[in-house]
């Protein structure tokens, strides 16, 4: 019986998961961007654990998920004229165990939170202490408004994921006639 969880014959390219949504031909309309810089450190998010100095992707600030602040929730986003929402951001998992991670969820028109994507350090071959980017598409075709939430999967006190440079865009997908 195999007691080892690693496969010495596998390569990174075979096992790694692309955490960026596929590119498309849609015309994206900018909705908002947050780089978490003062004086509006939380920007379009309800509250955040603003961090200045050591961990940032651009400029000098980011927000921390983990420790005392397990989630980052956006303000309501008007999506009534879009069918897709694109959430693009940079992340730096500085203190996560192999089976820990975070998730992106959305809530449309005040309904329950729906899981859009989750990321786990070992499963997705994420690099600790390094800035990486992610893009996720969310179907908002039947929604008037939406909130997005990034949160840790395990609210253990030592988990630390820094988030920076969040860009949210919307597009209306049309079906081409043949």
């Amino acid at each position: 019986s195999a007691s080892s969880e690693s496969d010495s014959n596998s390569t990174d390219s075979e096992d790694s998961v692309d955490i960026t949504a596929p590119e498309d031909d849609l015309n994206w309309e900018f909705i908002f961007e947050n780089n978490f810089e003062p004086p509006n450190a939380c920007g379009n998010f309800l509250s955040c654990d603003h961090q200045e100095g050591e961990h940032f992707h651009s400029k000098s600030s980011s927000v921390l998920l983990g420790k005392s602040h397990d989630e980052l929730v956006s303000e309501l986003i008007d999506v009534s004229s879009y069918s897709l929402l694109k959430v693009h951001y940079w992340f730096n998992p500085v203190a996560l165990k192999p089976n820990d991670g975070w998730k992106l969820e959305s809530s449309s028109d005040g309904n329950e939170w729906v899981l859009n994507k989750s990321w786990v350090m070992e499963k997705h071959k994420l690099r600790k202490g390094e800035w990486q980017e992610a893009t996720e598409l969310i179907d908002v075709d039947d929604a008037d408004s939406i909130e997005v939430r990034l949160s840790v999967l395990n609210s253990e006190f030592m988990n630390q994921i820094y988030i920076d440079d969040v860009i949210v865009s919307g597009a209306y997908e049309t079906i081409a006639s043949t």
Side-chain angles (χ1 to χ4, degrees), residues 26-94:
L26 299 177
N27 289 322
W28 291 98
E29 183 177 296
F30 174 84
I31 297 174
F32 71 78
E33 177 176 8
N34 281 119
N35 58 14
F36 305 107
E37 298 298 323
N40 191 13
C42 292
N44 299 85
F45 294 90
L46 300 176
S47 68
C48 68
D49 185 355
H50 177 258
Q51 301 287 309
E52 195 165 359
E54 188 178 352
H55 297 285
F56 56 89
H57 177 253
S58 67
K59 299 194 180 182
S60 64
S61 298
S62 64
V63 294
L64 173 64
L65 291 181
K67 287 197 171 183
S68 62
H69 206 88
D70 291 343
E71 63 183 18
L72 181 64
V73 180
S74 74
E75 297 172 342
L76 276 176
I77 304 166
D78 179 1
V79 294
S80 57
S81 50
Y82 306 115
S83 61
L84 285 173
L85 191 72
K86 178 167 49 175
V87 180
H88 178 86
Y89 64 98
W90 287 82
F91 64 92
N92 183 352
V94 298

Side-chain angles (χ1 to χ4, degrees), residues 19-20 32-34 36 45 57 63 65 72 86-93 101-105 116-120 126 131-138 148-151 161-169:
I19 58 170
T20 304
F32 71 78
E33 177 176 8
N34 281 119
F36 305 107
F45 294 90
H57 177 253
V63 294
L65 291 181
L72 181 64
K86 178 167 49 175
V87 180
H88 178 86
Y89 64 98
W90 287 82
F91 64 92
N92 183 352
W102 69 98
K103 59 189 172 182
L104 173 69
E105 298 172 295
N116 296 102
K117 175 84 177 195
S118 63
W119 295 267
V120 177
L126 303 175
W131 284 100
Q132 299 148 81
E133 62 185 321
T135 300
E136 190 61 33
L137 302 179
I138 301 171
V148 294
R149 172 171 73 181
L150 287 163
S151 59
I161 308 142
Y162 289 89
I163 306 291
D164 203 359
D165 299 325
V166 177
I167 300 172
V168 175
S169 306

